[in-house]
Amino acid sequence: MREQPHEPEGAIAATGMGGGMDLAASEAATLERRPSAASGGPVPEGPKGAAERTRARSLWSDAWHDLRRNPVFIVSGLVILFLVVISLRPSLVASGNPLDCHLSKAQEGSGPGHPFGYDGQGCDVYTRTVYGARTSVTVGVCATLGVALLGSVLGGLAGFFGGGWDSVLSRVTDVFFAIPVVLGGLVLLSVVTSNTVWPVIGFMVLLGWPQISRIARGSVITVKENDYVQAARALGASPSRILLRHIAPNAVAPVIVVATIALGTYIALEATLSYLGVGLKPPSVSWGIDISAASPYIRNAPHALLWPSGALAVTVLAFIMLGDALRDALDPRLR
């Protein structure tokens, strides 16, 4: 008989069932010899390998991946970390007493052990600048937490349930938006006799929650229209479960961004109210108080005004930069 011509291996796959089985066995053996992604080797090529290489990450893990590579976040985070450390333990970098003043050294310039000089009352400007960070950070963090909590709850409920509750909250927020912040502070805090930070924090929460409420309301309204929320509702999930498990985690990102930026604003607001004499009052240590006390001596002792003003500006800028970095990471569409 005539011998059949030799056919290449690729032709076997095109012939009958036996050729297909031979090719499948060959491919199976090849895949078995390839290292898998789980074993640490290279991921196999093809759609499955590409899917494993581009494995989907959550919103927060993806945001952290971007933040670690953002120099703005790194610089602002280091500045804020330093401020938090000296707020908790100011004695680590300043060994003096901020209330220990000597009139004989009033308005003197820098000297050994006193790099920032003395203010008009003979107090060490360096020590008071370091201890003033505690007041500013405490007011900013506590006010931001109160505003974010109250505004998120009220705005989230209004956006989720809508109806009359939403209408009432919208009109109430309009009333609060019509109140000038500084003027409201002059009126409300002028009758307060307490010399602690809590009246100032309470005032900021009272006038600050409407902004966060509007942000939370809009975010919840947007998220609750997504398909996964509709699917959870169709499967019979309770409203509380839908709100806490599906809507809140996906609607909180804009609130975090706005609250971070607002934290720097609250620090500046506390300094402004203290400068005007209705916020914190002596013997409390605050950058606003020091700026107010140094203003009359700006010609003779500009250093007493420069250092607390510079510390305030750097702090506010650090929190604003941190908020911008968070905004870019959590919502890349805003870049």
Side-chain angles (χ1 to χ4, degrees):
M1 291 179 63
R2 178 187 297 179
E3 294 183 358
Q4 296 292 335
H6 175 71
E7 296 181 359
E9 183 179 353
I12 298 178
T15 62
M17 185 179 297
M21 293 175 62
D22 293 341
L23 180 60
S26 176
E27 289 181 348
T30 303
L31 291 176
E32 287 179 358
R33 290 194 299 269
R34 289 180 181 177
S36 62
S39 61
V43 179
E45 298 297 331
K48 185 176 180 180
E52 292 182 4
R53 287 196 305 270
T54 59
R55 183 177 300 172
R57 294 183 297 230
S58 66
L59 172 65
W60 302 106
S61 61
D62 189 54
W64 176 242
H65 179 269
D66 293 339
L67 288 174
R68 288 181 300 175
R69 291 159 176 77
N70 190 343
V72 174
F73 171 77
I74 296 175
V75 173
S76 60
L78 291 176
V79 173
I80 293 172
L81 179 62
F82 174 73
L83 290 171
V84 172
V85 171
I86 66 174
S87 299
L88 297 175
R89 295 290 301 275
S91 59
L92 293 176
V93 295
S95 57
N97 186 347
L99 301 179
D100 186 14
C101 306
H102 304 278
L103 287 176
S104 60
K105 299 181 179 180
Q107 302 182 19
E108 288 187 5
S110 60
H114 306 279
F116 294 175
Y118 297 87
D119 61 8
Q121 300 297 323
C123 304
D124 184 26
V125 177
Y126 172 76
T127 303
R128 291 187 64 85
T129 301
V130 171
Y131 276 83
R134 170 183 291 178
T135 301
S136 297
V137 172
T138 300
V139 171
V141 170
C142 293
T144 302
L145 290 177
V147 166
L149 181 61
L150 181 60
S152 298
V153 171
L154 296 179
L157 293 176
F160 182 72
F161 292 105
W165 171 254
D166 188 16
S167 300
V168 171
L169 183 67
S170 298
R171 301 293 76 79
V172 172
T173 55
D174 291 339
V175 172
F176 278 92
F177 275 128
I179 301 175
V181 177
V182 177
L183 179 60
L186 291 173
V187 174
L188 296 177
L189 295 178
S190 60
V191 298
V192 177
T193 58
S194 175
N195 196 31
T196 63
V197 298
W198 300 113
V200 179
I201 294 173
F203 162 74
M204 293 180 182
V205 174
L206 179 63
L207 293 187
W209 69 267
Q211 180 187 17
I212 299 295
S213 176
R214 285 283 178 90
I215 299 296
R217 173 183 174 273
S219 182
V220 168
I221 290 177
T222 301
V223 171
K224 76 175 185 178
E225 301 299 330
N226 290 335
D227 293 338
Y228 57 86
V229 177
Q230 303 299 330
R233 184 178 287 111
L235 292 174
S238 63
S240 59
R241 180 179 177 84
I242 294 175
L243 182 61
L244 296 178
R245 289 291 301 274
H246 301 285
I247 294 181
N250 296 284
V252 74
V255 174
I256 294 177
V257 173
V258 175
T260 305
I261 298 176
L263 198 155
T265 305
Y266 295 141
I267 292 177
L269 178 60
E270 180 273 324
T272 302
L273 295 175
S274 298
Y275 178 87
L276 296 175
V278 296
L280 297 177
K281 304 174 182 63
S284 298
V285 181
S286 168
W287 290 334
I289 294 175
D290 291 348
I291 294 172
S292 177
S295 296
Y297 311 103
I298 187 173
R299 291 175 179 243
N300 300 327
H303 59 273
L305 179 65
L306 174 63
W307 293 110
S309 301
L312 175 63
V314 170
T315 302
V316 174
L317 180 61
F319 280 104
I320 292 177
M321 291 171 58
L322 181 65
D324 289 340
L326 289 175
R327 180 196 59 191
D328 293 341
L330 294 174
D331 192 355
R333 295 172 299 177
L334 298 179
R335 295 178 183 176

